Amino acid sequence: MADQQSRLKIINDNSIGKGLDAFRTSFTSICEGAGVSCNPDALEQLGQEDLQDLALNLLSALQSFQASRLLPSSGSGKSLFRDLLRLNSAVDSNDFDLDRIKPLLILALDGHSDDTLIWKHVYDAVTESTPPPRPVASSLQQTPLLRTTSGFANSSEYRQDVDPVLRLELGPLYVGLRRLRETYFGGVAGLEAASGTVFKKCVDGSNPLFGSEGWSEWPAGAKEENVLAWFGDLIPKLEAFAGDYNSTSISRRKLLTQPKTPLLGSTGKRSMDIGFVKDDFTNDPTAGKDFRYRWSHVLVPGELKSNPSADIPSIAWIDLATYAREVFSAQDTRRFVLGFTLCGSLMRIWAFDRLGGIASEQFDINKDGLQFVSTVLGFLWMNEEELGFDPTFITANGQRFIKIKRNGSTERLVIDEVMKQSRYIVGRATTCWKAHREEDPQKPLVIKDSWQYPERDEEGDLLREATGKGVVKVARYYHHETVQVNGMDDDIRSNVRKGLDITRATNYRPGWWVASPITSAAGAPRKGQSSSATGTKRSSSQAGAPLPPSKRSRSTSPIKAGSDVLFNRVHRRVILRDYGKPIYEASSRAALLAALEGCIEGHESLHMAGLLHRDISINNLMINEDDDNPSPPSFLIDLDLAIRVQREGASGAQGMTGTRAFMAIGVLLGEPHSFMHDLESFFWVLFWTCIHYNAQGKDIGPMGFDNWNYESDDGLAEKKKGVINDEEDFLRKAEKIFTPHYRPLTKWVNRLRRTVFPNGTRWKRPEPELYSSMKKILRDARKDPEVLADR
């Protein structure tokens, strides 16, 4: 009775009030988009994706109420807030029965419902829909898992699959930052004076462009096609008013308004409402009448919504984020992406970087015409560095290159090609280029850039240690450094965001997405740090041509409620002596098996040296079949998330590693990561390759395994168990799904399965002999006449 009275007091003292109005507005927008009437009956007419969006909007709103943090948990958790977090994760999975939460949705849509009744239904929903938390093995080296869009292997990338994971990847998007305009626009030469001059011309004359009611030709209702036409008419007028201001830059940019035309260069077909793009194609003979813009041309993406209430995470914000993800994926030297949303006449300026998304205060372009003019001219006039491109990449005489300081002298490394680029926003954003020293073009090097948590061991240190210990068949160390931009260590908080404080955001909530308080003091090197490191609208969901699988090296920020130390990422560069191509591009079955054996040998050598890789995937196993390439025939790369096996404690940065398709079952179930898990991942690499690739690495596209990219951890673990637990079933499935090229490997993959999963179950204890057992099977397979008779 006392508990019940306590709950009622908490509910009465913390009224919901109008706190669900934004949720109800999102319901209206979703119904309008689906073409159904906006009443509770619409819940039966909305599709799965729309219902999922609506449920996530409601749960997000409920989590923001103080009552959710004060009310007790329905189980053994700390509070109802924790229950809601678990329910949020369940709703975001593909196998959640949304009927379970419909009573709560109906009640929340009713603006006259009693708070007590709403919270009762919340308890009902979390009790029925959320299983009790599964115990996770404790380990100083084991950390929680965050799903990001980096892990989509051989995926068609439908929006209904990408968006839920992208929401998790981004975390909270912080808006209402007052100094954001000054931070990103303050350095644009002549912008302030030009904007004042241009706006004065807009308000002058007998028929001004801007009057007491705002822009004279602003379309009533702000329908997309009308706003696009208005934008297209206005931009040339603003450019003309600008006169001689920065005319060279203006000529290289244009406004793109083709929301129905997907841009080229994405995996799934994606179009963009509006945006500023490169316009260097006037004299390009290949740019004929059928010329189409690509995501690589986009400088500033924009998102339009007719309804001002669409300025919320689940509508305008997530749509703009999908554009930012495509821009990052198509532009290999992008440090951050600026963009804008315009909902009705309400505008925000956005910046997306490797920590997430932040936005300016909302402003009405019909009330603050000067700020709108300044924004448009700023996007037109910014130089490449101000737009977010990495200035350490220099273009001259038709070549791209970087400079490094090594052994007391400066070296110029010429870029040959992009090898690998990550398809996501938040995270390490690993990008690799093949390169060579200007003085020695015959010896290939690999430049690898990534954005690391400062708490983590530097990959360069680990690589140098491995090379120094004589580790074999692991990419050899050449150099590493922290990237310098404008004389500073390039990081997000101090350099990219220039000190912008997200705690000043209007929607900031303490305890969300913050780092552990063990971050090193500024300027003080951590133990083991290298002293040589340099200083201090929903577009069509139809699938396009699939890309090679993206690497899933995940590292997440520690989430420590109540901490006042915000997390950060540092831009690090590692240069390797060895160059190859991903293992799935092997020229023959025998070459693939030999390369896999070599990489297992490299992993064993690395482990014997005291290092655990923890990120085995098809993009981290390299093969070299080029006689002129001095690199080993096969080798491992990417020690970003490797750890020293005997280290005393955790780094303080969190991360559970591996592409979801290749993650060991035990890792998915929360076990501390061991060398046995990495050996299991080698099996999944071979299995996946046999399913998705033909000869020479030709990707045949998604093969019914797309859901492995989006499945919950427990669900994926069960699916993987179902693949390997019965030999007869496995052989039948393999014969059906292996590509014609790899079907001769069926019996050998099965033998590997029997070794990695004895009696159809995973190993429960360390077994060092598993290394030699797996290598022997791969060697024996290479003697099989059917394997050798490549077709």
Side-chain angles (χ1 to χ4, degrees):
M1 185 68 177
D3 287 345
Q4 182 69 14
Q5 290 177 347
S6 175
R7 291 188 188 191
L8 289 174
K9 186 176 189 309
I10 290 171
I11 292 171
N12 292 333
D13 290 348
N14 296 273
S15 172
I16 291 176
K18 297 183 178 181
L20 293 178
D21 284 355
F23 158 72
R24 296 179 186 117
T25 299
S26 73
F27 172 67
T28 302
S29 298
I30 289 172
C31 289
E32 289 175 351
V36 301
S37 300
C38 296
N39 57 60
D41 293 338
L43 296 179
E44 303 301 325
Q45 303 174 50
L46 293 175
Q48 178 81 4
E49 182 183 0
D50 287 332
L51 278 175
Q52 200 170 32
D53 282 346
L54 187 64
L56 291 171
N57 292 342
L58 175 58
L59 295 178
S60 178
L62 292 168
Q63 291 166 36
S64 70
F65 297 139
Q66 184 68 13
S68 73
R69 297 173 181 271
L70 298 176
L71 288 167
S73 168
S74 64
S76 58
K78 181 179 179 181
S79 66
L80 184 60
F81 176 81
R82 301 285 180 171
D83 296 343
L84 285 167
L85 285 177
R86 289 196 295 271
L87 178 57
N88 190 91
S89 178
V91 170
D92 211 17
S93 68
N94 288 334
D95 54 2
F96 182 79
D97 183 2
L98 287 166
D99 285 339
R100 296 183 179 183
I101 203 172
K102 280 183 180 178
L104 177 59
L105 289 172
I106 293 171
L107 197 64
L109 289 171
D110 181 1
H112 304 289
S113 297
D114 180 73
D115 285 10
T116 304
L117 190 57
I118 289 177
W119 288 115
K120 177 186 179 299
H121 276 70
V122 170
Y123 272 109
D124 291 342
V126 298
T127 301
E128 180 181 6
S129 305
T130 310
R134 170 174 45 80
V136 177
S138 62
S139 169
L140 289 175
Q141 298 183 3
Q142 186 69 5
T143 44
L145 169 70
L146 177 70
R147 294 172 62 189
T148 75
T149 58
S150 67
F152 296 160
N154 302 80
S155 170
S156 54
E157 293 206 1
Y158 295 121
R159 277 291 301 269
Q160 66 265 27
D161 295 325
V162 172
D163 281 7
V165 181
L166 183 57
R167 289 191 189 97
L168 293 174
E169 173 186 317
L170 289 167
L173 298 170
Y174 295 108
V175 302
L177 290 164
R178 293 185 178 181
R179 291 187 55 250
L180 188 138
R181 163 176 291 281
E182 176 185 327
T183 297
Y184 292 99
F185 288 69
V188 182
L191 178 61
E192 183 177 355
S195 299
T197 299
V198 170
F199 185 64
K200 186 175 185 304
K201 292 180 180 180
C202 290
V203 299
D204 285 346
S206 58
N207 190 23
L209 288 178
F210 190 90
S212 59
E213 300 297 319
W215 295 100
S216 59
E217 297 180 8
W218 175 254
K223 291 185 177 180
E224 180 181 272
E225 62 271 22
N226 297 333
V227 173
L228 291 172
W230 174 81
F231 249 111
D233 290 340
L234 182 64
I235 296 297
K237 296 174 183 177
L238 298 182
E239 292 176 345
F241 286 162
D244 296 330
Y245 282 105
N246 228 320
S247 58
T248 301
S249 293
I250 294 176
S251 66
R252 298 200 303 267
R253 311 269 168 86
K254 70 167 289 185
L255 184 74
L256 184 66
T257 55
Q258 298 178 357
K260 307 296 185 185
T261 304
L263 277 70
L264 300 178
S266 58
T267 301
K269 292 183 178 180
R270 303 277 186 269
S271 57
M272 178 181 70
D273 279 358
I274 190 172
F276 294 92
V277 296
K278 298 177 184 178
D279 191 27
D280 296 334
F281 316 109
T282 304
N283 299 316
D284 186 347
T286 65
K289 63 178 182 179
D290 296 327
F291 174 79
R292 284 175 59 186
Y293 281 95
R294 308 181 66 88
W295 285 104
S296 59
H297 300 144
V298 176
L299 299 174
V300 180
E303 172 65 17
L304 301 180
K305 298 293 182 186
S306 59
N307 190 339
S309 298
D311 186 26
I312 58 175
S314 62
I315 305 181
W317 303 4
I318 189 66
D319 283 347
L320 184 65
T322 64
Y323 305 157
R325 177 175 179 260
E326 295 293 348
V327 173
F328 273 125
S329 301
Q331 300 176 17
D332 60 327
T333 63
R334 205 70 188 256
R335 296 163 63 231
F336 60 89
V337 173
L338 298 179
F340 65 93
T341 52
L342 185 62
C343 301
S345 61
L346 301 179
M347 191 174 204
R348 289 190 196 272
I349 303 167
W350 284 85
F352 290 92
D353 54 42
R354 302 311 183 173
L355 287 182
I358 56 176
S360 68
E361 294 178 298
Q362 186 188 76
F363 69 95
D364 192 326
I365 67 171
N366 283 319
K367 295 179 180 177
D368 194 341
L370 176 59
Q371 187 171 176
F372 175 69
V373 168
S374 179
T375 298
V376 170
L377 294 182
F379 287 146
L380 287 169
W381 293 358
M382 286 175 167
N383 62 37
E384 287 200 342
E385 181 178 344
E386 291 163 341
L387 283 170
F389 290 90
D390 187 342
T392 66
F393 281 78
I394 305 164
T395 301
N397 301 320
Q399 288 185 328
R400 280 202 305 171
F401 61 89
I402 65 169
K403 295 179 180 179
I404 63 171
K405 288 185 178 180
R406 181 174 176 268
N407 297 332
S409 61
T410 299
E411 297 181 10
R412 180 181 288 193
L413 305 185
V414 179
I415 309 298
D416 296 321
E417 61 180 281
V418 180
M419 294 173 57
K420 185 61 185 175
Q421 196 170 354
S422 301
R423 285 188 55 77
Y424 59 106
I425 299 175
V426 176
R428 294 179 303 142
T430 301
T431 305
C432 297
W433 299 265
K434 182 185 177 185
H436 64 268
R437 290 178 61 211
E438 192 172 41
E439 301 84 3
D440 192 1
Q442 300 305 313
K443 291 185 179 179
L445 296 172
V446 173
I447 301 169
K448 175 184 175 181
D449 276 22
S450 59
W451 293 83
Q452 300 286 346
Y453 286 119
E455 297 87 358
R456 283 204 180 277
D457 292 328
E458 291 195 41
E459 182 188 15
D461 289 333
L462 297 177
L463 277 167
R464 183 167 55 186
E465 178 181 331
T467 301
K469 290 181 176 180
V471 169
V472 300
K473 298 190 176 178
V474 172
R476 294 167 295 171
Y477 173 86
Y478 185 78
H479 175 72
H480 78 288
E481 63 185 24
T482 298
V483 177
Q484 296 275 293
V485 173
N486 295 322
M488 298 173 59
D489 283 354
D490 193 24
D491 71 342
I492 299 295
R493 288 178 56 197
S494 299
N495 214 24
V496 172
R497 295 183 179 178
K498 296 180 174 63
L500 274 176
D501 184 359
I502 62 168
T503 66
R504 302 284 184 178
T506 55
N507 66 336
Y508 176 77
R509 295 205 305 273
W512 273 79
W513 224 250
V514 291
S516 66
I518 67 171
T519 306
S520 304
R526 295 173 287 101
K527 182 179 179 180
Q529 182 176 6
S530 168
S531 60
S532 69
T534 305
T536 47
K537 96 119 7 217
R538 300 265 179 186
S539 56
S540 169
S541 62
Q542 290 177 295
L547 295 175
S550 58
K551 185 163 57 175
R552 172 65 162 195
S553 301
R554 291 172 295 185
S555 60
T556 75
S557 164
I559 304 172
K560 193 173 184 71
S563 170
D564 58 359
V565 182
L566 302 177
F567 65 99
N568 196 13
R569 284 190 183 272
V570 179
H571 189 180
R572 291 174 176 162
R573 182 166 291 160
V574 176
I575 299 168
L576 309 171
R577 293 179 182 271
D578 294 310
Y579 167 76
K581 57 186 180 182
I583 194 170
Y584 60 84
E585 294 185 21
S587 63
S588 67
R589 293 185 287 262
L592 172 74
L593 296 172
L596 192 62
E597 179 187 353
C599 289
I600 292 175
E601 182 181 346
H603 187 279
E604 184 176 20
S605 179
L606 189 70
H607 190 234
M608 290 177 65
L611 299 172
L612 181 62
H613 191 281
R614 302 198 309 164
D615 192 11
I616 300 301
S617 76
I618 53 178
N619 287 303
N620 286 343
L621 311 183
M622 296 288 110
I623 184 171
N624 169 27
E625 299 183 270
D626 183 355
D627 292 337
D628 296 327
N629 184 346
S631 301
S634 61
F635 54 94
L636 281 176
I637 63 170
D638 196 352
L639 300 191
D640 267 351
L641 296 176
I643 59 172
R644 293 180 175 88
V645 178
Q646 299 300 326
R647 67 179 182 172
E648 294 179 358
S651 66
Q654 298 190 24
M656 183 180 292
T657 63
T659 305
R660 292 187 68 76
F662 316 118
M663 288 179 71
I665 294 170
V667 171
L668 289 166
L669 295 176
E671 294 177 358
H673 206 128
S674 76
F675 76 93
M676 296 292 287
H677 294 125
D678 278 1
L679 288 177
E680 180 184 328
S681 292
F682 280 108
F683 167 81
W684 291 116
V685 165
L686 181 58
F687 176 75
W688 192 267
T689 300
C690 291
I691 293 170
H692 290 92
Y693 296 97
N694 262 316
Q696 307 291 332
K698 180 176 176 56
D699 187 348
I700 66 171
M703 285 293 295
F705 286 80
D706 256 21
N707 60 359
W708 282 28
N709 291 305
Y710 320 113
E711 184 68 73
S712 67
D713 301 334
D714 288 344
L716 181 54
E718 291 305 314
K719 285 182 180 293
K720 289 192 169 187
K721 288 180 183 179
V723 169
I724 54 87
N725 63 7
D726 183 271
E727 180 164 346
E728 185 177 341
D729 290 346
F730 179 82
L731 288 170
R732 185 186 304 112
K733 180 179 285 290
E735 284 291 338
K736 179 180 179 181
I737 64 176
F738 278 18
T739 63
H741 177 69
Y742 283 117
R743 202 161 290 143
L745 292 185
T746 299
K747 66 181 180 182
W748 296 104
V749 177
N750 183 51
R751 291 187 189 182
L752 200 63
R753 178 197 66 83
R754 289 201 306 239
T755 301
V756 177
F757 303 99
N759 299 315
T761 62
R762 55 199 171 89
W763 286 89
K764 301 298 176 64
R765 57 179 172 79
E767 181 50 67
E769 291 302 314
L770 186 57
Y771 279 110
S772 58
S773 300
M774 293 177 69
K775 289 188 291 183
K776 183 179 186 304
I777 291 172
L778 296 171
R779 282 196 302 273
D780 291 344
R782 297 206 306 278
K783 301 173 185 177
D784 185 342
E786 290 187 23
V787 172
L788 293 174
D790 272 359
R791 295 189 291 273

